[in-house]
């Protein structure tokens, strides 16, 4: 497929519920377009890891603001995988932040106003030069409200539970499907009902329901949308 747009680049946002395949789509789309992929959830996960390691009581704003001053987040390209790994204070925490312990607390931490301001500020800086695909929950609504292409990914809840279970089971064969289901339901609820930037579809976002699509099919749909936007820039 040929991509138009010349040297001009756009911002693509991908939002949706947990385990909808947002990151997979964002990563593949970025690769095809030669854009930078940014997994904004990894930032909330790394902050959660820092809070847990420091046994913090994050219900107290003072604790949160103090801790954020000591947190430095960075993405570094992993030459083996070709993907940018999350680094927390110069430590590669990419594997650690995918743990169930993080899953259990991350939505709570991501609902904190000061945490969101901290993360959104960095995310907006990463988008200054465009040419990025960022996935998350509030990217099309809050982080880049003027992004050229906004995709809202959805999938049937049963399909999402099954996908996440398979992924986690590989690392932890003791995990049950019930644990996965209840964690996903809890995260969706907190993410959609928090006061600051709740998960919702931006009015100008296009919906991509991938329940019955292969990875390749959903990538092709998204690439067509991106191509349309790029053609319009020429
Ligand atoms: O996409 P993920 O599962 O890695 O995200 C982890 C958590 O972070 C998720 O429960 C919601 C939160 N999150 C958010 O609030 N805003 C974002 N832009 C990205 C993630």
């Amino acid at each position: 497929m040929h991509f138009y747009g010349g040297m001009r680049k756009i911002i693509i946002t991908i939002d949706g519920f947990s385990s909808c395949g947002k990151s997979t789509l964002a990563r593949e789309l970025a690769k095809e377009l030669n854009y930078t992929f940014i997994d904004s959830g990894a930032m909330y996960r790394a902050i959660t890891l820092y809070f847990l390691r420091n046994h913090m009581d994050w219900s107290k704003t003072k604790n949160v603001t103090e801790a954020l001053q000591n947190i430095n987040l960075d993405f570094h390209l992993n030459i083996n995988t070709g993907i940018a790994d999350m680094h927390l204070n110069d430590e590669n925490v990419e594997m650690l932040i995918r743990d169930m312990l993080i899953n259990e607390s991350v939505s709570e931490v991501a609902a904190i106003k000061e945490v969101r301001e901290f993360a959104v500020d960095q995310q907006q800086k990463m988008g200054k030069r465009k040419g990025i695909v960022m996935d998350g929950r509030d990217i099309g609504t809050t982080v880049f409200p003027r992004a050229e292409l906004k995709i809202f990914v959805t999938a049937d809840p049963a399909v999402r539970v099954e996908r996440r279970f398979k992924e986690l089971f590989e690392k932890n064969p003791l995990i049950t499907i019930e644990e996965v289901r209840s964690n996903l339901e809890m995260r969706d609820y907190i993410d959609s009902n928090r006061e600051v930037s709740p998960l919702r579809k931006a009015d100008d976002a296009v919906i991509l329901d991938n329940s019955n699509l292969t990875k390749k099919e959903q990538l092709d749909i998204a690439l067509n949308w991106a191509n349309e936007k790029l053609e319009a820039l020429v």
Side-chain angles (χ1 to χ4, degrees):
M1 190 182 294
H2 179 70
F3 291 104
Y4 299 95
M7 297 299 286
R8 301 189 66 178
K9 293 187 177 251
I10 60 172
I11 291 183
I12 302 176
T13 66
I14 300 188
D15 290 303
F17 292 103
S18 297
S19 303
C20 271
K22 297 184 299 296
S23 297
T24 308
L25 173 63
R27 187 180 304 124
E28 290 174 359
L29 198 51
K31 199 167 144 202
E32 288 289 331
L33 295 169
N34 206 11
Y35 279 19
T36 306
F37 157 60
I38 297 158
D39 170 6
S40 69
M43 299 170 73
Y44 293 100
R45 289 173 176 272
I47 295 168
T48 305
L49 175 65
Y50 183 93
F51 285 7
L52 288 173
R53 275 179 172 172
N54 289 280
H55 308 287
M56 263 182 56
D57 172 2
W58 56 74
S59 65
K60 302 212 169 31
T61 306
K62 184 171 167 284
N63 292 347
V64 171
T65 46
E66 274 176 16
L68 290 174
Q69 284 174 12
N70 296 319
I71 294 180
N72 182 45
L73 300 179
D74 238 332
F75 287 99
H76 286 282
L77 187 70
N78 179 327
I79 48 161
N80 296 318
T81 60
I83 298 165
D85 285 348
M86 183 80 250
H87 285 237
L88 165 66
N89 295 337
D90 295 325
E91 174 191 356
N92 186 336
V93 293
E94 188 57 39
M95 291 292 281
L96 290 173
I97 60 173
R98 309 291 160 191
D99 196 89
M100 199 62 185
L101 268 178
I102 302 290
N103 288 345
E104 280 163 11
S105 299
V106 66
S107 285
E108 235 183 83
V109 171
I112 302 170
K113 181 169 148 278
E114 290 73 17
V115 168
R116 300 207 72 80
E117 285 168 358
F118 176 84
V120 169
D121 180 59
Q122 301 194 19
Q123 290 155 7
Q124 288 175 335
K125 284 185 184 131
M126 295 175 198
K128 280 253 158 63
R129 295 210 309 274
K130 301 215 174 190
I132 63 164
V133 184
M134 189 178 290
D135 84 301
R137 305 294 188 289
D138 62 338
I139 311 304
T141 52
T142 304
V143 182
F144 299 119
R146 299 177 62 188
E148 288 83 355
L149 175 59
K150 300 178 183 179
I151 302 176
F152 191 85
V153 186
T154 66
D156 185 77
V159 173
R160 292 162 51 211
V161 170
E162 189 66 31
R163 285 182 189 156
R164 184 49 66 106
F165 176 71
K166 273 193 193 143
E167 189 184 306
L168 289 168
F169 186 79
E170 276 176 23
K171 287 184 236 160
N172 172 15
L174 295 177
I175 200 151
T176 66
I177 197 137
E178 262 322 307
E179 276 177 277
V180 175
R181 180 176 297 116
S182 76
N183 177 258
L184 274 190
E185 283 172 359
M186 178 198 72
R187 287 207 288 149
D188 286 349
Y189 181 82
I190 301 178
D191 295 344
S192 312
N193 290 283
R194 69 181 173 223
E195 260 174 51
V196 196
S197 312
L199 164 66
R200 66 172 181 80
K201 178 188 151 309
D203 293 338
D204 51 350
V206 280
I207 296 179
L208 180 50
D209 182 337
N210 64 21
S211 311
N212 297 307
L213 296 178
T214 62
K215 286 181 187 171
K216 167 92 175 64
E217 285 166 339
Q218 78 159 352
L219 175 62
D220 285 345
I221 292 172
L223 275 172
N224 275 326
W225 285 334
N227 212 13
E228 280 169 19
K229 297 289 176 186
L230 285 165
E231 274 182 56
L233 290 179
V234 182

